[in-house]
Amino acid sequence: MGDKRIPQIPLPTLKRLPVYYQYLTRQARKGVTDISCASIAKAMGLVAVQVRKDLQLTGAVGRPKTGYRLKELLEALERTLGYDNKTEMFLVGVGSLGKALLHYRRFGDYNIGIAAAFDVSEDVIGTEIDGKPVLPFRKFPSLCRRLHVKFGIICVPAEAAQEVANIMVSSGIEAIWNFAPITLELPDMVIVHNENLTASLSILLKKYKTQHTGSERE
Amino acid sequence: MGDKRIPQIPLPTLKRLPVYYQYLTRQARKGVTDISCASIAKAMGLVAVQVRKDLQLTGAVGRPKTGYRLKELLEALERTLGYDNKTEMFLVGVGSLGKALLHYRRFGDYNIGIAAAFDVSEDVIGTEIDGKPVLPFRKFPSLCRRLHVKFGIICVPAEAAQEVANIMVSSGIEAIWNFAPITLELPDMVIVHNENLTASLSILLKKYKTQHTGSERE
DNA sequence: TCCTAATCGATAAATATTTATCGATATAAA
DNA sequence: TTTATATCGATAAATATTTATCGATTAGGA
């Protein structure tokens, strides 16, 4: 079911790589030039072997006794994660969450930008948020095709999400970052990545209760 | 490293349970009364055995031929995920993301509420967002103790996150939902759940590139 | 009433991921 | 120059997770 193509990088590793990258960027800014798996692991609450195995998948090579050259390691991560090419996205749904994402500056660090936002509400159409124009959603298909945008962000309510996704895909979008708490039904070709904040908060809640009310009573 | 307590529910399952819950709630609203693993799996892009195994961990019991009684299943999930008790949270950092979370209505569906927000900026202190007061951060410790709030949300910039987390913990917070892109160093007792939006977007990017530029050239 | 088909629950197999171990090697100190 | 040691890379072991299989059971139709 869904995409059966074998990923070159296991998903658990892929989830950790960007976090390593963030940490390593900060270390580089502090002036660190060489770094070992052990120190990375310590900072991130992991074990060294795991970090080593993850980093091996980026093609980076370290050296005995001193570890990795930080600069080389960052470059390897950038190549692996695709930060070395500019990526433009279109966002749909300029509610409070959509606005928050439009304000987010950090995406730029990874060569990712939101080119424009779309909505159906007259209240926001015509405004600009952090320099990005908010356009009427009916213009999405033509603009998407014209600018060859392949990435979409869905920030509309759950009820509207499937329809927005359908229009996105028929307009040429090939990868969707979905903040609506529903499972989108789309062709297997389309990459969907769900960001389900409520579900995520729910995990925190359960982890807490597991630890504090002991094991399930039975 | 970190918490070594064995979780009763495997993390991958725990991540899926709230998503089942969301889907099942919608089905219930549509008037569905009985539901099978096969149909749930189909809707969510999973396989039936996996859904069955996940649901078994909630204690719900299904019946041959008809599947689960939806009402019973929802109750089992609510018990398992802790939605059956009210949870109050404090949020720190009322930037655009913090505001977006304060506006989020869906947390209420799970009996989770943000009781108040805190910031150091005079621009927001004293305002109300969706009925929740924004208070000066210096009042956090006393209020936190007084109201016995155990859950904190961190929406401040990365540079300030560790300090905010420290103050949270010393004020009695026991579980933190962290939106800052850094790994917090805190006592093992404290549950931390990271919501790293940039890292997450990065995963989408990589999945896309993996599928479209084929396998790593080598 | 009897038969068929759909479904669960349990067990087992397969696969994926994490963790341990160990030899080789380069750096830095003696 | 020699030696001690931190580290990597590779391989192997352990663990966790997903997927397959199969018997038992129940609803619904013949």
Side-chain angles (χ1 to χ4, degrees):
Chain A
M1 240 116 255
D3 185 15
K4 276 298 171 205
R5 198 176 299 215
I6 310 301
Q8 287 74 3
I9 296 184
L11 192 56
T13 295
L14 178 51
K15 288 181 178 168
R16 287 186 295 265
L17 291 182
V19 187
Y20 296 148
Y21 183 77
Q22 293 171 333
Y23 171 71
L24 295 171
T25 311
R26 277 196 306 281
Q27 292 308 108
R29 272 201 291 271
K30 279 191 196 168
V32 175
T33 59
D34 295 84
I35 199 159
S36 71
C37 290
S39 67
I40 298 172
K42 181 149 185 290
M44 325 246 315
L46 303 171
V47 292
V49 235
Q50 183 164 54
V51 174
R52 192 173 306 128
K53 208 143 190 281
D54 287 343
L55 294 182
Q56 265 165 12
L57 293 173
T58 68
V61 295
R63 290 173 314 165
K65 189 82 177 180
T66 52
Y68 298 87
R69 294 233 166 84
L70 185 43
K71 194 158 163 292
E72 287 176 11
L73 187 48
L74 284 171
E75 284 164 4
L77 279 163
E78 284 160 8
R79 272 194 309 279
T80 304
L81 294 173
Y83 299 158
D84 49 352
N85 297 114
K86 178 75 179 173
T87 302
E88 290 287 0
M89 309 186 77
F90 272 177
L91 180 149
V92 178
V94 186
S96 54
L97 181 59
K99 281 178 190 153
L101 294 177
L102 287 164
H103 279 295
Y104 227 66
R105 294 289 173 79
R106 283 192 184 266
F107 299 149
D109 301 348
Y110 307 90
N111 245 327
I112 301 170
I114 301 177
F118 298 83
D119 205 306
V120 290
S121 161
E122 294 299 332
D123 296 346
V124 286
I125 291 172
T127 64
E128 266 199 4
I129 296 176
D130 202 47
K132 296 130 197 163
V134 180
L135 309 170
F137 182 58
R138 65 186 154 71
K139 292 202 175 164
F140 187 98
S142 56
L143 263 174
C144 192
R145 293 205 173 286
R146 182 132 57 86
L147 301 178
H148 299 101
V149 173
K150 300 297 175 198
F151 288 78
I153 307 176
I154 294 183
C155 292
V156 301
E159 306 76 58
Q162 181 66 57
E163 194 192 337
V164 166
N166 293 342
I167 294 173
M168 279 184 165
V169 171
S170 68
S171 307
I173 291 288
E174 294 176 350
I176 293 177
W177 197 19
N178 174 41
F179 283 80
I182 68 162
T183 304
L184 299 172
E185 297 193 22
L186 294 170
D188 283 354
M189 304 290 308
V190 182
I191 312 282
V192 178
H193 188 66
N194 294 303
E195 201 71 50
N196 194 326
L197 292 180
T198 306
S200 188
L201 175 53
S202 202
I203 295 167
L204 177 69
L205 190 68
K206 175 61 178 176
K207 281 186 185 165
Y208 174 82
K209 302 221 166 179
T210 300
Q211 182 149 130
H212 286 258
T213 64
S215 46
E216 334 273 292
R217 54 193 106 78
E218 60 183 297
Chain B
M1 243 114 260
D3 185 14
K4 277 296 173 207
R5 197 176 300 215
I6 308 304
Q8 288 75 0
I9 296 183
L11 191 56
T13 294
L14 178 51
K15 287 182 179 169
R16 286 186 296 266
L17 291 182
V19 187
Y20 296 148
Y21 183 77
Q22 292 172 332
Y23 171 71
L24 294 172
T25 311
R26 277 196 306 281
Q27 292 309 106
R29 273 203 290 271
K30 280 190 195 168
V32 175
T33 59
D34 294 84
I35 199 159
S36 70
C37 289
S39 67
I40 298 172
K42 181 151 185 289
M44 325 245 318
L46 303 170
V47 292
V49 234
Q50 183 164 56
V51 174
R52 192 171 308 128
K53 210 143 189 281
D54 287 344
L55 294 182
Q56 264 165 15
L57 294 173
T58 67
V61 296
R63 290 172 313 163
K65 190 81 176 184
T66 52
Y68 299 87
R69 291 233 167 84
L70 186 42
K71 192 158 163 293
E72 287 176 12
L73 187 48
L74 284 171
E75 284 165 4
L77 280 163
E78 283 159 8
R79 271 194 309 278
T80 305
L81 294 173
Y83 299 156
D84 49 352
N85 296 113
K86 178 75 179 174
T87 303
E88 291 288 359
M89 310 186 77
F90 273 177
L91 180 148
V92 178
V94 186
S96 54
L97 181 60
K99 281 178 190 154
L101 295 177
L102 287 165
H103 279 295
Y104 228 68
R105 295 287 174 81
R106 284 191 184 266
F107 299 149
D109 301 349
Y110 307 89
N111 246 329
I112 301 169
I114 301 178
F118 298 83
D119 205 304
V120 290
S121 160
E122 294 298 332
D123 297 346
V124 286
I125 290 172
T127 64
E128 265 200 4
I129 295 177
D130 201 47
K132 296 130 198 163
V134 179
L135 309 170
F137 182 58
R138 63 185 155 74
K139 294 204 175 162
F140 187 98
S142 56
L143 264 174
C144 191
R145 293 205 172 284
R146 181 132 56 87
L147 300 178
H148 300 100
V149 173
K150 299 298 176 198
F151 288 78
I153 307 176
I154 295 183
C155 292
V156 301
E159 305 76 58
Q162 181 65 58
E163 195 192 335
V164 167
N166 293 343
I167 293 174
M168 279 184 166
V169 171
S170 68
S171 307
I173 291 287
E174 294 176 349
I176 294 177
W177 198 18
N178 173 40
F179 283 80
I182 68 162
T183 304
L184 299 173
E185 297 194 22
L186 295 171
D188 283 355
M189 304 290 307
V190 182
I191 313 282
V192 178
H193 188 65
N194 294 302
E195 201 71 49
N196 193 325
L197 292 179
T198 306
S200 188
L201 175 51
S202 203
I203 295 167
L204 177 69
L205 191 68
K206 176 59 179 178
K207 280 187 185 166
Y208 175 81
K209 302 221 166 177
T210 301
Q211 180 149 132
H212 285 259
T213 65
S215 45
E216 334 273 288
R217 54 195 107 77
E218 60 182 297

